[in-house]
Amino acid sequence: MTDEPTRRRPTLDEVAEHAGVSRTAASRVLNNAPNVSHGKREAVLRAIKELGFVPNPTARALATQQAGAVALIIAGEDPAVLADPFYGQVIAGASTVLEETDLHLMLCLATSTRGQIRVKQLLQTRAVDGVMLMSLRGDDPLSRLALEAGVPAVFGGKPLHGEVPFYVDVDNVRGAREATEHLASLGRTRIAAITGPLDTDVGLARRRGYHEALTLAGVPFRAEEGGDFTERSGMAAMEALLARHPDLDAVFAANDNMAAGALRVLHRAGRTIPTDVAVVGFDGLTASEIAEPPLTTVHQPIRDLGREMTRMLLALIAGEKPSPLILPTTLVRRESA
Amino acid sequence: MTDEPTRRRPTLDEVAEHAGVSRTAASRVLNNAPNVSHGKREAVLRAIKELGFVPNPTARALATQQAGAVALIIAGEDPAVLADPFYGQVIAGASTVLEETDLHLMLCLATSTRGQIRVKQLLQTRAVDGVMLMSLRGDDPLSRLALEAGVPAVFGGKPLHGEVPFYVDVDNVRGAREATEHLASLGRTRIAAITGPLDTDVGLARRRGYHEALTLAGVPFRAEEGGDFTERSGMAAMEALLARHPDLDAVFAANDNMAAGALRVLHRAGRTIPTDVAVVGFDGLTASEIAEPPLTTVHQPIRDLGREMTRMLLALIAGEKPSPLILPTTLVRRESA
DNA sequence: CGGAGGACTGGAAGCGCTTCCAGTTCGGAA
DNA sequence: TTCCGAACTGGAAGCGCTTCCAGTCCTCCG
């Protein structure tokens, strides 16, 4: 602390010398390994303190062949995906788990060609001890790459194609089904849907839930329009739906952003929510609370998603063989339905 | 590629041997340094390709004394801060810049004691080549720590106390002033404010802007209530303001979330927006578009913030001496004012 | 009192890459 | 033909830490 600022940081060798022991012994106390006498241990500890020694993580990484970090890889078309507060929650969840370990979190956006290449390198060079992959679309080559690289990998949401051994997902089908059933139980019979991208598992799963509920309820009406999880696409979809089915009386949107967009379009069209048209979304983010009226939505435990993905990854790194995990959703009833 | 999967990755030594050159030469072509004859260079390149060699970043880091990563450190009281899409934008901005370099992005939440300790270690061990710090509150020790650690550091928003040499900020005072002036220009004379946390520079700066505008406009009325940038706090503040000043005719909220909360409270209280009460927010996030009615807001270039912070950090790492940067805001007029 | 066995100890060999520096080559100017 | 410097070359010394392994020391049992 009181040293001249530019002074080279002390090395373990210096600590050992200062303590009058071998470098080996010093290393042992650093990793509190056995086979160090109490006396030497004390001496080393003292030397460490006196010298203000801090082990060099890079050197340690080289020697132990462990990077000391895991990566969260977010795929997608556009760095703008991060505008979705969804990821913030995932990151927060992951962080709280990692905090308890000595691993750091690396964040990689595989949204551009350049980004993809870098992720590939990351995997190949084993610059991280494990990866979590999210938002893979279609048959993104990333999933195969990750699997082939032999790096522990867990997926957030199943990729559309190919089986992956380790993933944690949300029960999208069930959530969507419950949402739609709720609408049906309200007496609605002309329930439309604004789906998510159909080249993702989430998109398809939520649509499936919508279909299942309709079938179960014996409702013949069916109307859907695709969106890409943005508010804007929700507006467009709602407009299209309204044009085709002016008499619809409910809408299930595959996420809150799109539901919010739908709400605006419905307002403009003079429909009263929920009297004329009931709306339910999916996510349970702040957006659903801010919406007017507050949105009934399928809440998914995003924070838990991040947390569980990380736990699973840690287990994997520790050599265990965790099982895939499906997180439950809960319907949050507010005013829009 | 066709190798048995578990095969140890080739090292530079093996490449050199395969190519019939010294390790030194191989290293040179790897870093395309001069002093390698064309022939040998070709040979090495071929060997690299044939062996599928990928340099080990850890070893390189140890040898070059460069970590190959920078950290984005987010302070705050709670990992929940990440629920704010704000950070997603910053991250996206930072990522696009880092993508062009060979640096990775490390994300650290210094929201818990444990987190703080880890950040401290990160700084002391020089596990990263530079750091970007955001959302420091009050006199967070982090800023001093970062400065003392001698690691290149740029701040996102000035810390409240202490001078920091390198930062990029948004022109909060001006933005708030323009927002308030806009309200005044609408003929409003009883303009209240919902401020951000007053132990942050943003919070204070935006409040100052509000005050300045009022003074300039010669409006005597003054009423403010504090919030913490969450929607909930915005609601509470609005309720308090309404109770104290039932006759207010405009509200400036220090961010969109709080403005959205205010909107809801105003609705419930039966006020029409903007006829009875005009509202303007700050941020320009999706929330402002979703709100009902769409929120007039001070748009700040968050993505640019992330981008510029990163550029500044890169300059710093490169040994340059960049100047602080203040980004402009723009008033986006929508229906709420 | 001899030994077996457990608890320590530290020298030395890495981990995979960069880079200094002493030397070698070689074309072309003198 | 001789000599000089520019262009190469590669041995070797690190970067800072972990860990194998050959020993040394002690204690306690028979």
Side-chain angles (χ1 to χ4, degrees), chain A residues 2-75:
Chain A
T2 39
D3 290 353
E4 49 281 38
T6 335
R7 160 128 180 241
R8 205 175 49 64
R9 303 214 351 258
T11 72
L12 192 54
D13 275 300
E14 286 160 25
V15 169
E17 186 181 3
H18 191 89
V21 305
S22 71
R23 191 223 325 282
T24 308
S27 174
R28 287 210 182 91
V29 1
L30 210 56
N31 301 290
N32 51 63
N35 298 343
V36 182
S37 64
H38 185 72
K40 299 218 165 187
R41 169 151 291 160
E42 290 297 298
V44 171
L45 254 19
R46 200 174 326 115
I48 287 179
K49 187 156 297 176
E50 288 177 15
L51 266 42
F53 168 82
V54 190
N56 177 323
T58 306
R60 192 189 291 238
L62 183 60
T64 61
Q65 304 282 56
Q66 301 190 325
V70 298
L72 176 61
I73 298 173
I74 299 176

Side-chain angles (χ1 to χ4, degrees), chain B residues 62-326:
Chain B
L62 182 59
T64 60
Q65 304 281 58
Q66 300 190 327
V70 300
L72 176 61
I73 298 172
I74 299 176
E77 320 253 83
D78 186 340
V81 288
L82 274 186
D84 195 328
F86 179 90
Y87 295 105
Q89 302 278 19
V90 174
I91 294 172
S95 290
T96 56
V97 174
L98 289 177
E99 216 166 59
E100 305 301 321
T101 72
D102 47 3
L103 292 171
H104 285 290
L105 211 215
M106 205 142 245
L107 196 64
C108 303
L109 260 48
T111 49
S112 63
T113 313
R114 191 90 180 76
Q116 302 241 21
I117 292 175
R118 299 192 69 209
V119 168
K120 191 173 163 186
Q121 285 176 357
L122 197 74
L123 292 170
Q124 291 182 157
T125 59
R126 303 195 86 91
V128 289
D129 296 318
V131 298
M132 299 184 267
L133 295 154
M134 301 205 67
S135 308
L136 264 31
R137 304 194 45 169
D139 51 350
D140 197 312
L142 235 44
S143 65
R144 200 160 29 77
L145 260 175
L147 261 21
E148 282 177 358
V151 176
V154 353
F155 292 78
K158 308 205 300 224
L160 193 53
H161 300 301
E163 289 300 301
V164 296
F166 308 107
Y167 64 89
V168 8
D169 204 350
V170 156
D171 198 342
N172 289 304
V173 178
R174 188 171 221 275
R177 191 172 58 220
E178 283 182 359
T180 313
E181 276 166 354
H182 174 65
L183 255 11
S185 75
L186 256 29
R188 311 289 167 148
T189 54
R190 307 188 61 78
I191 307 174
I194 299 178
T195 69
L198 298 180
D199 58 347
T200 63
D201 182 70
V202 234
L204 289 176
R206 293 186 188 168
R207 183 173 69 161
R208 181 135 50 87
Y210 162 74
H211 287 163
E212 285 184 5
L214 254 31
T215 306
L216 255 58
V219 174
F221 181 88
R222 216 138 293 199
E224 54 184 73
E225 197 62 43
D228 62 3
F229 285 148
T230 63
E231 194 205 352
R232 198 171 308 276
S233 73
M235 294 180 68
M238 193 67 245
E239 273 159 10
L241 286 172
L242 231 31
R244 286 217 314 276
H245 306 279
D247 57 341
L248 53 79
D249 59 11
V251 176
F252 162 63
N255 83 338
D256 287 344
N257 283 339
M258 296 195 298
L263 242 32
R264 293 183 59 186
V265 170
L266 289 168
H267 274 137
R268 284 194 203 149
R271 313 292 173 113
T272 308
I273 316 290
T275 328
D276 297 338
V277 181
V279 177
V280 12
F282 206 119
D283 266 359
L285 295 172
T286 318
S288 65
E289 295 178 37
I290 293 182
E292 192 55 41
L295 207 55
T296 290
T297 189
V298 180
H299 175 269
Q300 52 174 337
I302 310 180
R303 194 84 157 264
D304 293 344
L305 179 65
R307 196 160 17 217
E308 295 304 335
M309 283 176 66
T310 312
R311 290 220 180 97
M312 189 175 286
L313 184 57
L314 292 180
L316 220 47
I317 291 174
E320 297 167 29
K321 199 89 177 160
S323 308
L325 191 61
I326 307 278

Side-chain angles (χ1 to χ4, degrees), chain A residues 99 103 105 107 112 118 289, chain B residues 99 103 107 112 118 264:
Chain A
E99 217 167 58
L103 293 171
L105 212 216
L107 196 63
S112 64
R118 300 192 67 209
E289 295 177 37
Chain B
E99 216 166 59
L103 292 171
L107 196 64
S112 63
R118 299 192 69 209
R264 293 183 59 186

Side-chain angles (χ1 to χ4, degrees), chain A:
Chain A
M1 292 304 164
T2 39
D3 290 353
E4 49 281 38
T6 335
R7 160 128 180 241
R8 205 175 49 64
R9 303 214 351 258
T11 72
L12 192 54
D13 275 300
E14 286 160 25
V15 169
E17 186 181 3
H18 191 89
V21 305
S22 71
R23 191 223 325 282
T24 308
S27 174
R28 287 210 182 91
V29 1
L30 210 56
N31 301 290
N32 51 63
N35 298 343
V36 182
S37 64
H38 185 72
K40 299 218 165 187
R41 169 151 291 160
E42 290 297 298
V44 171
L45 254 19
R46 200 174 326 115
I48 287 179
K49 187 156 297 176
E50 288 177 15
L51 266 42
F53 168 82
V54 190
N56 177 323
T58 306
R60 192 189 291 238
L62 183 60
T64 61
Q65 304 282 56
Q66 301 190 325
V70 298
L72 176 61
I73 298 173
I74 299 176
E77 320 254 83
D78 186 340
V81 288
L82 275 185
D84 195 328
F86 179 90
Y87 295 104
Q89 301 279 19
V90 174
I91 294 173
S95 290
T96 56
V97 175
L98 289 177
E99 217 167 58
E100 305 301 320
T101 72
D102 47 3
L103 293 171
H104 285 290
L105 212 216
M106 205 143 246
L107 196 63
C108 303
L109 260 47
T111 49
S112 64
T113 312
R114 191 91 180 76
Q116 302 242 21
I117 293 176
R118 300 192 67 209
V119 168
K120 190 173 164 185
Q121 285 177 357
L122 197 73
L123 291 170
Q124 290 182 159
T125 59
R126 302 196 86 91
V128 289
D129 297 318
V131 299
M132 298 183 268
L133 294 154
M134 300 204 68
S135 308
L136 263 30
R137 304 194 47 171
D139 51 350
D140 197 312
L142 235 45
S143 64
R144 200 160 31 79
L145 260 175
L147 260 22
E148 281 176 0
V151 176
V154 352
F155 291 77
K158 307 206 300 226
L160 192 54
H161 300 302
E163 289 300 302
V164 296
F166 309 107
Y167 64 90
V168 7
D169 204 349
V170 156
D171 198 341
N172 289 304
V173 178
R174 188 172 220 277
R177 193 172 55 220
E178 282 182 358
T180 313
E181 277 167 352
H182 174 64
L183 255 12
S185 75
L186 255 32
R188 310 290 166 147
T189 55
R190 307 188 61 77
I191 307 173
I194 299 178
T195 69
L198 297 181
D199 58 347
T200 63
D201 182 71
V202 234
L204 289 176
R206 293 186 188 167
R207 184 175 68 158
R208 181 135 52 88
Y210 162 74
H211 287 162
E212 285 184 5
L214 254 31
T215 306
L216 254 58
V219 174
F221 182 87
R222 217 139 292 197
E224 55 185 73
E225 196 62 42
D228 62 3
F229 284 149
T230 63
E231 194 205 353
R232 196 171 309 277
S233 73
M235 294 180 68
M238 192 67 245
E239 273 160 10
L241 286 171
L242 230 33
R244 286 218 312 275
H245 305 278
D247 56 341
L248 54 79
D249 59 11
V251 176
F252 162 63
N255 84 336
D256 287 344
N257 284 339
M258 296 196 297
L263 242 33
R264 293 184 58 187
V265 170
L266 289 168
H267 273 138
R268 285 194 204 150
R271 313 293 173 113
T272 308
I273 317 289
T275 327
D276 297 338
V277 181
V279 177
V280 11
F282 206 119
D283 266 359
L285 296 171
T286 320
S288 65
E289 295 177 37
I290 293 181
E292 191 56 42
L295 206 57
T296 289
T297 188
V298 180
H299 174 270
Q300 52 174 337
I302 309 180
R303 195 85 156 262
D304 293 344
L305 179 65
R307 195 158 23 215
E308 295 305 334
M309 282 176 67
T310 312
R311 290 218 179 98
M312 189 174 287
L313 184 57
L314 292 180
L316 221 46
I317 292 174
E320 297 166 30
K321 199 88 177 157
S323 308
L325 191 61
I326 307 279
L327 267 20
T329 58
T330 56
L331 186 68
V332 178
R333 290 176 205 184
R334 286 200 275 252
E335 299 167 33
S336 73

